[in-house]
């Protein structure tokens, strides 16, 4: 059985898909009421599953007329998409954000599930037995190199 966060995530993704993959604007209270949950549950889903690493931008306005606007970041090519991911990685990346990037590459059919599992194993804390910030720096370097290999193998 799926948990409430998974259900809300799927609902929001369906709204985005139904909008033609463009922008969806929602009212926090309306969604919370629809799923009989507290607004903070919706906040959690948005903060963890609709991030830049997942390929989304989120704008939020609080108050009575407030809204949450979720936009799927569309790139016109795999090359643009991977360049966007490299920018997000920067000089250091946490394990959690690395996993989000890998999940995004899988969801966008850049890598297979097997490749995603291999990449996640290569960049996990137990593999990179270094102290912070060196671990995050090494993880970022590995991910950038993997993206370079994917880019060059496409040519």
């Amino acid at each position: 059985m799926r948990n409430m966060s998974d259900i809300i995530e799927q609902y929001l993704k369906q709204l985005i898909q139904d909008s033609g993959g463009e922008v969806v604007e929602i009212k926090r209270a309306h969604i919370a009421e629809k799923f009989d949950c507290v607004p903070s549950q919706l906040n959690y889903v948005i903060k963890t599953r609709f991030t830049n690493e997942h390929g989304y931008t989120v704008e939020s306005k609080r108050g009575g007329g407030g809204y949450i606007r979720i936009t799927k970041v569309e790139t016109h090519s795999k090359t643009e998409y991977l360049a966007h991911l490299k920018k997000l990685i920067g000089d250091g990346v946490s394990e959690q954000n690395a996993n989000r990037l890998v999940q995004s590459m899988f969801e966008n059919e850049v890598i297979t599930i097997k490749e995603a599992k291999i990449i996640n194993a290569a960049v996990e804390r137990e593999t990179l037995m270094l102290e912070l910030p060196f671990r995050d720096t090494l993880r970022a370097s590995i991910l950038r190199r993997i993206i370079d290999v994917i880019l060059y193998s496409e040519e």
Side-chain angles (χ1 to χ4, degrees), residues 80-97:
E80 285 181 29
Y81 168 70
L82 291 171
H84 172 73
L85 291 185
K86 279 182 74 171
K87 285 181 187 173
L88 288 175
I89 292 168
D91 293 331
V93 66
S94 69
E95 183 175 357
Q96 184 179 25
N97 284 338

Side-chain angles (χ1 to χ4, degrees), residues 30-146:
H30 172 74
I31 301 296
E33 184 179 313
K34 178 176 181 62
F35 290 101
D36 193 29
C37 67
V38 294
S40 62
Q41 176 97 36
L42 180 60
N43 291 345
Y44 168 79
V45 171
I46 290 169
K47 285 183 187 251
T48 60
R49 302 183 187 198
F50 292 89
T51 63
N52 280 328
E53 294 84 4
H54 284 112
Y56 297 92
T57 60
V58 177
E59 298 172 58
S60 179
K61 180 181 177 236
R62 295 189 180 268
Y67 60 84
I68 298 173
R69 184 177 297 139
I70 304 171
T71 306
K72 177 82 172 140
V73 176
E74 291 295 328
T75 53
H76 301 291
S77 70
K78 186 186 284 188
T79 302
E80 285 181 29
Y81 168 70
L82 291 171
H84 172 73
L85 291 185
K86 279 182 74 171
K87 285 181 187 173
L88 288 175
I89 292 168
D91 293 331
V93 66
S94 69
E95 183 175 357
Q96 184 179 25
N97 284 338
N99 290 336
R100 289 176 180 160
L101 289 165
V102 171
Q103 179 66 29
S104 177
M105 287 192 290
F106 170 69
E107 288 174 358
N108 286 285
E109 300 177 353
V110 173
I111 59 175
T112 65
I113 189 67
K114 183 177 181 179
E115 291 165 335
K117 289 179 180 180
I118 291 168
I119 295 167
N120 281 335
V123 299
E124 69 186 9
R125 181 178 297 116
E126 292 77 16
T127 303
L128 306 176
M129 295 175 26
L130 295 169
E131 295 297 317
L132 291 174
F134 306 109
R135 182 172 55 226
D136 287 353
T137 302
L138 178 57
R139 183 180 293 116
S141 180
I142 291 168
L143 286 173
R144 284 192 310 271
R145 184 66 186 123
I146 288 169

